[in-house]
Amino acid sequence: MVSRLTYYLHLSRRTGHYTVQQNQNMHHGDKSGPSTTSNSTRTTSTDPASLLNPSVVACPRSQPSSSPRHSPNSRSRPRPPCQRCNSQESLDELEMDDYWKEVENITRSGGGAGRGEGGGEREVQEEEQQKIPEEGEQEEAWLTEAGLARLFDDSLAADQDQEEDSAVFLSTLTRSQAAAVERRVTSLQQTWLRRRNRQHVPDVRDIFRPPEKDGEPSKLKGGSENGQKDVPSAETETELNVEVAFSEQALTYRDNNQKLNVIASPNSPDDKLPNFKLLRDKTGQTRIGDLSPLDMKKVRRLVLVESTALFDTAGIDLKAHKAVKVKTKESGLFGVPLATLLDQDQRRAPGTKVPFILQRFISHIEEEGLDTEGLLRIPGAATRVKSLCQELESSFYDGMFPWQQLKQHDAASLLKLFIRELPHPLLTVEYLNAFIAVNKLPTKKQQLQALNLLVLLLPTANRDTLKALVEFFQRVIDHQAKNKMTLNNVSVVMAPNIFMFKGFRSKVTEQQEFSMATSTANIVRLLIQYQNLLWTIPKFIMTQVRQQNMESHRKLNKERAVRKLLKKITTDKPSDKAGSEESSQGFIRVQAPQFSKVSMAVQLTEELQAADILTRFLSQESLVAVKREELCLYEIGGNIEERCLDGETYMKDLFQLNPAAEWVIKAVQR
């Protein structure tokens, strides 16, 4: 394959950033670039549980005997000896009996409520919902998802926008992120060479050239130097540094352990749940939903590369599966894709993010009381649950279902059934293995960082539904004094419902399923325990997004026609000049176009926060009909498209980071 454009990435020794140069020379792909990954670290198994290495994540107390009577698929399975304990500290103390009881309940019910007639055909479809990618297909899919298809598909060469977009994206990558891209390009190149394909692929050595002295990119004011900035020495084990890329921190951890000859024992995992907290960011915390769709698209591309780089540091080669389209129900409640459910619900209530039926289950359980002992653990009668399911299918949207007669345990069973009956797993076929592989990372901090990235990768519907569930689980746990459902109890009960989609158990070995019991329960524990951290966008990702926007603007402004247009606009808008003068004197102008008081000048001080500006505006605006919590101060333009500001954002620090931004008060757009 002949490339009209090859990207040269230069690593700056001072900043650790990469810059990109373009070369119009022809480079043929028959050169064999050096492989940067060791085959010995790759997982070769491609079954759905290929990442479940029992030696890595098996619970010592749950280790099964090789005797056939211990088969996890047996209805009379002897359960691993575990002690019930109220402690939330150690995974070894989980009451795993609850896990196997839940698996047996699922097996007895056949997961069949809501399946109706034709269940056999449905089973076949569920068995086929995963497809193992062919050799090289996974690397192509990964590069395409990261927006880097240009690196292997020369047919995109004529698209100048695509070329510039790839160049800008690559210029912001850290060392470990660039290495992750390089590994996939190298692997794809070697695959094509093995196939003796006549097409030529760009040589990876032309894409990733050795660092040169003049390869330093521009830096953001107040921004972190991704990939080169050392983790602060004052950082403790419970502080999460979100200014430095997680993969770079993992590299430092790995290198330090190698220098000290420390070997992390996979059989002795750190099972305690520290009280992690984010290091304070004066420019404000960014949560999912705070950014414009255009910036979120940039976030997702960066997160994909960063999560892959993080797993690479631990030698974990994720074999992602492809979701195969199967014939699914186009209406109803159970066994309907999330996207279809939301489409039909949004026609009734625009803006709906979580399916009505799930919202109703949660609200019913909470209204009837969360003190019910064994809530989520004790199942409802299987025949009654099946009957209720059929009744819901026919009368839910008509408002005729007798909710007042629905018992708590039956409602909880229906909620779990809804999750299991989704045609594809809630955590998606594509990322389910990555969630399970989180347990292989060497520290709880890295596991939490990986989960943060994976949550950001989930499709919006899956992410919003998962958030609603973990928030509900926490409210159940808050009543543990009465319902006896601790964090551990909820985790082991819900793990098989979230991770064991149809067809999965038939493809895993007995040893893998025992291992899966402990590992998936741990993932659910982490999702619940750290939910306030997982739905945030790390600052280093935000810094890279700002860098991409700045670089794009710089390229755009280099064109003569655009410069003339911008000059004319500036001349025609004296208000912009006034705003510039205010900023130079320590003031910003806050716009509120939707209200009678359309703007106000605010003096910047060291302690001024976004919440203070909202309070000041509301005290002077008597005609505001919306509630305070429905309003937000937005950062618009400059090096960001649009961002809803956290109330604790220090405005002077943010202004220094993005002096070209406009500041607008408006209703929250979530």
Side-chain angles (χ1 to χ4, degrees):
M1 180 177 292
V2 179
S3 173
R4 296 181 185 175
L5 174 77
T6 54
Y7 296 108
Y8 288 170
L9 269 72
H10 300 280
L11 172 63
S12 166
R13 292 184 178 90
R14 243 173 27 136
T15 68
H17 284 297
Y18 284 84
T19 54
V20 179
Q21 291 183 357
Q22 300 179 6
N23 184 359
Q24 302 298 332
N25 294 332
M26 310 285 273
H27 292 278
H28 295 280
D30 52 359
K31 304 177 189 176
S32 57
S35 175
T36 58
T37 45
S38 169
N39 292 334
S40 63
T41 63
R42 297 198 172 195
T43 305
T44 56
S45 174
T46 54
D47 64 89
S50 60
L51 296 169
L52 293 175
N53 184 341
S55 65
V56 175
V57 293
C59 170
R61 294 190 188 180
S62 303
Q63 191 68 27
S65 165
S66 59
S67 170
R69 70 178 185 218
H70 286 275
S71 170
N73 297 312
S74 170
R75 292 180 58 167
S76 58
R77 177 190 306 107
R79 298 176 185 87
C82 290
Q83 299 294 323
R84 180 177 291 277
C85 179
N86 290 328
S87 170
Q88 305 296 299
E89 294 296 316
S90 173
L91 191 61
D92 289 344
E93 294 170 353
L94 287 171
E95 177 49 273
M96 296 309 296
D97 273 355
D98 292 342
Y99 182 96
W100 298 116
K101 286 178 182 176
E102 186 68 19
V103 172
E104 288 174 1
N105 290 332
I106 294 172
T107 303
R108 278 199 298 268
S109 68
R115 181 182 301 141
E117 296 181 4
E121 180 184 352
R122 175 74 176 275
E123 286 289 350
V124 172
Q125 292 173 347
E126 292 292 350
E127 289 279 354
E128 296 175 349
Q129 67 174 297
Q130 287 192 14
K131 178 184 178 183
I132 299 172
E134 297 178 0
E135 186 181 20
E137 189 176 10
Q138 180 172 320
E139 287 78 9
E140 287 187 18
W142 188 91
L143 289 166
T144 301
E145 189 176 358
L148 298 173
R150 174 65 191 84
L151 297 184
F152 68 86
D153 187 353
D154 198 50
S155 65
L156 299 173
D159 190 340
Q160 185 65 27
D161 291 338
Q162 177 73 18
E163 292 176 354
E164 292 182 356
D165 175 74
S166 296
V168 169
F169 179 80
L170 290 170
S171 71
T172 64
L173 299 185
T174 66
R175 293 172 301 172
S176 53
Q177 291 170 353
V181 176
E182 182 178 0
R183 288 187 185 97
R184 274 76 203 168
V185 175
T186 300
S187 176
L188 184 58
Q189 174 184 332
Q190 293 175 342
T191 297
W192 284 350
L193 289 174
R194 282 195 297 271
R195 292 177 181 174
R196 300 180 181 276
N197 197 321
R198 291 184 178 180
Q199 290 179 313
H200 298 296
V201 62
D203 193 302
V204 71
R205 291 172 296 186
D206 293 328
I207 299 170
F208 296 87
R209 289 185 64 186
E212 295 183 5
K213 292 183 179 180
D214 298 329
E216 182 177 344
S218 59
K219 291 184 284 186
L220 282 171
K221 284 186 179 180
S224 64
E225 297 177 356
N226 287 337
Q228 200 65 20
K229 181 177 177 180
D230 293 332
V231 179
S233 57
E235 182 185 12
T236 67
E237 286 303 311
T238 58
E239 290 178 330
L240 291 177
N241 184 351
V242 293
E243 294 191 7
V244 178
F246 297 155
S247 55
E248 294 293 331
Q249 296 180 48
L251 278 176
T252 302
Y253 172 87
R254 187 189 69 184
D255 293 344
N256 289 342
N257 280 355
Q258 288 177 347
K259 289 177 183 178
L260 298 173
N261 294 323
V262 175
I263 300 176
S265 173
N267 292 320
S268 302
D270 173 19
D271 288 327
K272 294 185 178 181
L273 296 183
N275 184 24
F276 286 118
K277 60 181 180 181
L278 295 176
L279 290 175
R280 190 176 186 182
D281 178 10
K282 299 192 75 173
T283 60
Q285 189 180 87
T286 306
R287 300 187 67 83
I288 294 173
D290 287 347
L291 295 180
S292 68
L294 192 59
D295 277 341
M296 274 305 297
K297 185 177 180 180
K298 295 183 178 73
V299 166
R300 196 179 186 286
R301 292 175 63 189
L302 287 164
V303 166
L304 175 65
V305 176
E306 169 63 15
S307 61
T308 305
L310 179 58
F311 282 109
D312 281 354
T313 64
I316 302 171
D317 186 17
L318 297 177
K319 295 296 184 184
H321 288 75
K322 292 175 60 180
V324 176
K325 289 185 178 180
V326 295
K327 186 176 181 180
T328 58
K329 294 169 60 178
E330 297 180 357
S331 62
L333 302 174
F334 296 86
V336 180
L338 272 178
T340 303
L341 273 173
L342 286 173
D343 283 344
Q344 65 186 25
D345 289 348
Q346 287 168 356
R347 287 195 291 269
R348 295 174 169 85
T352 300
K353 294 187 174 182
V354 179
F356 285 160
I357 183 62
L358 182 61
Q359 293 184 47
R360 194 65 182 88
F361 286 147
I362 291 174
S363 63
H364 176 80
I365 293 172
E366 294 180 348
E367 289 166 4
E368 294 300 313
L370 293 169
D371 295 338
T372 305
E373 186 169 346
L375 186 64
L376 294 176
R377 186 178 72 237
I378 299 175
T383 54
R384 188 168 64 243
V385 169
K386 183 175 182 179
S387 175
L388 288 167
C389 178
Q390 294 171 346
E391 191 172 357
L392 277 166
E393 289 280 12
S394 61
S395 60
F396 174 72
Y397 285 113
D398 296 336
M400 302 300 293
F401 183 79
W403 289 98
Q404 67 280 4
Q405 299 176 19
L406 181 61
K407 299 178 181 180
Q408 290 291 76
H409 292 306
D410 291 343
S413 293
L414 286 167
L415 181 146
K416 292 188 290 186
L417 176 65
F418 170 81
I419 300 170
R420 295 197 308 272
E421 285 286 293
L422 291 173
H424 292 297
L426 180 61
L427 302 181
T428 74
V429 169
E430 294 86 349
Y431 299 116
L432 191 69
N433 277 352
F435 274 94
I436 297 173
V438 164
N439 289 284
K440 290 187 174 183
L441 293 169
T443 68
K444 272 290 181 285
K445 181 179 289 189
Q446 289 185 31
Q447 292 176 11
L448 178 56
Q449 291 168 339
L451 280 179
N452 184 190
L453 299 171
L454 289 172
V455 165
L456 290 170
L457 280 176
L458 288 175
T460 302
N462 298 65
R463 190 170 58 220
D464 291 340
T465 300
L466 178 64
K467 189 173 190 295
L469 281 172
V470 296
E471 289 174 347
F472 166 65
F473 296 155
Q474 184 59 58
R475 292 193 290 272
V476 171
I477 294 165
D478 290 341
H479 290 72
Q480 62 182 277
K482 294 288 185 67
N483 61 32
K484 311 300 182 187
M485 294 300 292
T486 65
L487 172 61
N488 289 349
N489 298 141
V490 172
S491 300
V492 296
V493 167
M494 294 308 304
N497 290 282
I498 293 174
F499 283 90
M500 284 190 176
F501 58 91
K502 289 182 180 65
F504 188 95
R505 295 186 70 211
S506 65
K507 297 179 181 179
V508 299
T509 66
E510 173 186 339
Q511 189 77 359
Q512 286 171 334
E513 187 171 7
F514 270 102
S515 173
M516 184 178 181
T518 304
S519 60
T520 56
N522 180 57
I523 297 303
V524 177
R525 280 203 319 158
L526 297 178
L527 288 170
I528 298 172
Q529 180 75 6
Y530 301 120
Q531 57 185 281
N532 291 333
L533 304 178
L534 296 178
W535 270 259
T536 62
I537 302 172
K539 184 179 179 180
F540 72 89
I541 294 289
M542 290 299 304
T543 299
Q544 289 178 287
V545 169
R546 291 180 187 275
Q547 288 170 340
Q548 287 186 35
N549 287 333
M550 286 177 63
E551 185 66 17
S552 296
H553 293 329
R554 186 184 67 80
K555 288 180 178 293
L556 185 65
N557 292 336
K558 285 180 68 176
E559 298 189 16
R560 185 177 304 174
V562 176
R563 287 206 310 270
K564 287 183 178 180
L565 178 61
L566 291 177
K567 184 177 180 181
K568 183 177 185 300
I569 293 174
T570 303
T571 304
D572 293 343
K573 287 190 176 181
S575 60
D576 289 347
K577 183 177 180 182
S580 177
E581 291 176 356
E582 286 180 344
S583 298
S584 65
Q585 298 172 5
F587 286 83
I588 59 172
R589 179 154 294 277
V590 179
Q591 308 291 332
Q594 299 176 0
F595 305 100
S596 58
K597 185 176 179 59
V598 296
S599 71
M600 61 186 292
V602 178
Q603 184 175 11
L604 293 172
T605 64
E606 295 293 337
E607 300 302 319
L608 180 70
Q609 295 182 335
D612 300 329
I613 294 179
L614 281 176
T615 300
R616 191 177 306 178
F617 172 79
L618 290 173
S619 67
Q620 300 179 29
E621 174 61 65
S622 59
L623 300 178
V624 176
V626 296
K627 298 178 181 178
R628 161 66 187 273
E629 55 269 21
E630 295 176 355
L631 290 178
C632 183
L633 177 61
Y634 282 82
E635 170 194 6
I636 300 176
N639 53 42
I640 205 77
E641 289 291 331
E642 182 174 286
R643 174 178 172 237
C644 179
L645 298 184
D646 170 21
E648 296 183 357
T649 301
Y650 285 85
M651 295 304 299
K652 188 172 183 179
D653 293 87
L654 181 58
F655 173 75
Q656 292 173 348
L657 179 64
N658 191 8
E662 295 181 354
W663 314 99
V664 180
I665 295 175
K666 57 182 179 178
V668 177
Q669 299 174 345
R670 288 198 180 98

